[in-house]
Amino acid sequence: MTIFEELKARGLLAQLTDEEEIKELINHGKATFYIGFDPTADSLHVGHFMALCLMKRLQMAGNKPIALIGGGTGMVGDPSGRTDMRTMMTVEQIQHNCDCFKKQMSRFIDFSEGKALMVNNADWLMDLNYVELLREVGAHFSVNRMLTAECYKQRMEKGLSFLEFNYMIMQSYDFYELFQKYGCNMQFGGDDQWSNMLGGTELIRRKLGKDAYAMTITLLLNSEGKKMGKTQKGAVWLDPNKTSPFEFYQYWRNVADADVLKCIRMLTFLSLEEIDRMDAWEGSQLNQAKEVLAYELTKLVHGEEEANKAQEGARALFSTGNAAEMPTAELREEDFAEGKIDLISVLVKSGLVSSRSEGRRAIEQGGVSLEGEKETDIKKEYEKSYFSDGIVIKRGKKNFRKVVVK
């Protein structure tokens, strides 16, 4: 299987241009490609995982990644996928964040001997002459066409500033500069960046001719990748000082049943043959799949030793050997109606509430979580298989029960 076929099989590619040329480049290690990262924090988070894993896969196939830090565009609000403008940062803040990013990216990407680059678009954007930009770049953009882009349409109702309006031109210019300076012939980005990326491709071809190599590919499920970075506590960071390896492991251990195999396919480096065998897993086997996912990703970010510690800690938390620390509640066959039980009944049977009305209030007030995920639906029901390996239900900050089926 070629690298292009693998990317498609893992569900990573959605839209692309010039498919045959892209295949030729990446399958033969001829691609120099970039992915952009906004330096809005001093740590990457799990929403960046898809991009980082993609860069690693392509580098392993002989291609050259460029991590483009948006130090220049970070000075301007990006409207893509947002309804408000981003906070502008100082040059010092941006540089600090860039330094933090490179350290974390080095877990995924080999920057030695020029095998990968990290560049900052502030190097060319901050010194641009406005009139020169209008003449050399602005002349190639149609305002009517720009306004049809989804990233702008979302902002039109509340107001789109001229500052933000220029973002597409700046991002397009990034690709042009990377092509000129580093031979970058391919760009990857999320679905919300598609219009901006096409602008870059078009700019290169207009200024340098149709024979100029400039490809675009978007990542599938970028919006879902961003969702991955959020939990009820906020962002899940790659920095162990912000999110501990154990918390990081638990985040992935608690993904939804419907998402676990998709995440394994897209984010881990297990073989597709091994993952294909997991496709038939169901019930309690999905908990095993979640352990695989959590371990592989924790090892990738924090190393094998920390992954082993996190896995051992998580298993100890759920083991019956810790019953003294975490009381266990048993559900019986008669507790299930047609194979299901509602959340309020689980609270009552576990002893965390004394009545159904108390259970309803606890859920509505946001004080109930299962497997680390807050649950606010008082009508939520669970199948018996959900409790096969035991689940942890929590009310408030200190009241836990491990719930199992006898």
Side-chain angles (χ1 to χ4, degrees):
M1 179 179 290
T2 66
I3 183 62
F4 183 85
E5 290 171 336
E6 182 178 355
L7 295 182
K8 295 204 93 172
R10 290 183 180 273
L12 289 169
L13 304 183
Q15 303 179 75
L16 48 89
T17 62
D18 308 293
E19 181 169 335
E20 292 306 313
E21 289 88 345
I22 290 169
K23 285 182 184 178
E24 170 68 20
L25 288 172
I26 66 174
N27 286 343
H28 294 89
K30 298 177 181 178
T32 298
F33 66 96
Y34 95 88
I35 298 180
F37 296 84
D38 289 317
T40 51
D42 59 0
S43 174
L44 299 167
H45 57 72
V46 297
H48 294 112
F49 241 119
M50 205 155 14
L52 294 170
C53 292
L54 178 71
M55 296 174 85
K56 182 178 175 69
R57 292 184 207 282
L58 287 170
Q59 188 181 51
M60 290 169 63
N63 299 287
K64 183 175 181 177
I66 299 176
L68 177 65
I69 305 301
T73 42
M75 304 295 288
V76 178
D78 173 12
S80 300
R82 299 171 58 87
T83 57
D84 57 352
M85 196 171 80
R86 292 181 176 175
T87 302
M88 297 184 203
M89 298 177 293
T90 66
V91 174
E92 291 75 22
Q93 286 175 317
I94 291 171
Q95 185 57 54
H96 172 71
N97 294 349
C98 290
D99 295 340
C100 294
F101 279 15
K102 188 166 186 178
K103 182 179 180 181
Q104 292 174 356
M105 286 179 179
S106 295
R107 283 269 184 192
F108 296 80
I109 305 164
D110 182 3
F111 287 98
S112 67
E113 300 175 353
K115 295 175 184 174
L117 298 174
M118 174 180 278
V119 298
N120 189 333
N121 64 11
D123 293 345
W124 52 83
L125 291 180
M126 299 298 283
D127 295 328
L128 282 175
N129 177 283
Y130 185 61
V131 174
E132 182 181 351
L133 179 68
L134 289 178
R135 288 174 56 87
E136 299 298 322
V137 180
H140 298 291
F141 286 82
S142 162
V143 172
N144 289 349
R145 187 174 176 183
M146 290 172 70
L147 290 175
T148 64
E150 191 62 34
C151 59
Y152 289 132
K153 288 163 63 177
Q154 293 175 5
R155 290 282 288 129
M156 289 298 289
E157 291 183 7
K158 292 191 175 182
L160 177 68
S161 73
F162 185 71
L163 189 68
E164 297 170 282
F165 184 70
N166 278 273
Y167 194 90
M168 181 184 290
I169 295 175
M170 295 172 73
Q171 183 172 335
S172 299
Y173 190 74
D174 282 345
F175 194 21
Y176 173 75
E177 281 289 315
L178 291 170
F179 181 88
Q180 292 277 76
K181 290 186 175 184
Y182 306 106
C184 181
N185 52 20
M186 192 175 296
Q187 58 181 332
F188 285 77
D191 51 5
D192 60 344
Q193 296 291 319
W194 183 243
S195 296
N196 294 350
M197 290 164 54
L198 289 179
T201 299
E202 186 66 17
L203 179 62
I204 290 174
R205 291 179 176 174
R206 280 177 176 270
K207 288 186 68 64
L208 303 177
K210 293 183 178 179
D211 292 335
Y213 277 1
M215 317 297 180
T216 57
I217 298 181
T218 64
L219 305 185
L220 181 64
L221 300 173
N222 177 264
S223 58
E224 189 159 320
K226 289 182 177 179
K227 272 197 306 185
M228 289 178 184
K230 299 291 182 181
T231 66
Q232 62 190 23
K233 294 181 180 179
V236 177
W237 305 101
L238 306 195
D239 183 346
N241 295 316
K242 290 178 176 287
T243 299
S244 71
F246 179 77
E247 291 173 319
F248 187 85
Y249 180 97
Q250 285 294 87
Y251 172 81
W252 294 107
R253 175 62 179 80
N254 293 328
V255 299
D257 288 357
D259 295 334
V260 58
L261 290 175
K262 178 169 56 181
C263 288
I264 289 176
R265 189 175 297 276
M266 296 173 73
L267 304 178
T268 76
F269 287 80
L270 298 177
S271 70
L272 286 169
E273 292 78 12
E274 185 175 355
I275 298 170
D276 287 341
R277 289 194 292 269
M278 296 181 187
D279 279 337
W281 288 8
E282 57 186 19
S284 61
Q285 287 180 306
L286 291 178
N287 287 325
Q288 183 181 344
K290 292 177 186 181
E291 280 199 346
V292 171
L293 173 67
Y295 180 82
E296 291 296 325
L297 296 188
T298 305
K299 181 173 69 172
L300 188 60
V301 174
H302 298 295
E304 188 171 5
E305 182 179 352
E306 290 297 335
N308 287 331
K309 289 179 183 178
Q311 186 172 69
E312 291 168 6
R315 287 175 174 174
L317 176 65
F318 290 102
S319 70
T320 55
N322 277 347
E325 298 177 20
M326 184 178 295
T328 299
E330 294 182 347
L331 298 177
R332 301 178 179 275
E333 187 69 35
E334 55 266 30
D335 294 327
F336 294 84
E338 299 181 348
K340 295 182 178 181
I341 186 171
D342 63 274
L343 176 56
I344 295 178
S345 295
V346 175
L347 284 168
V348 173
K349 297 290 182 182
S350 68
L352 289 174
V353 298
S354 58
S355 65
R356 291 187 65 84
S357 60
E358 183 182 358
R360 185 179 295 106
R361 286 194 301 273
I363 297 168
E364 291 175 338
Q365 292 168 2
V368 175
S369 62
L370 281 78
E371 298 292 89
E373 295 292 328
K374 187 178 292 185
E375 183 55 73
T376 57
D377 183 0
I378 61 173
K379 297 181 180 180
K380 186 69 177 285
E381 292 184 326
Y382 303 90
E383 295 184 356
K384 187 167 67 173
S385 61
Y386 179 67
F387 303 90
S388 297
D389 291 337
I391 64 100
V392 173
I393 184 169
K394 178 181 177 183
R395 183 194 175 193
K397 294 183 177 181
K398 298 182 179 180
N399 297 311
F400 294 82
R401 292 289 189 279
K402 180 180 177 184
V403 181
V404 298
V405 176
K406 185 173 182 180

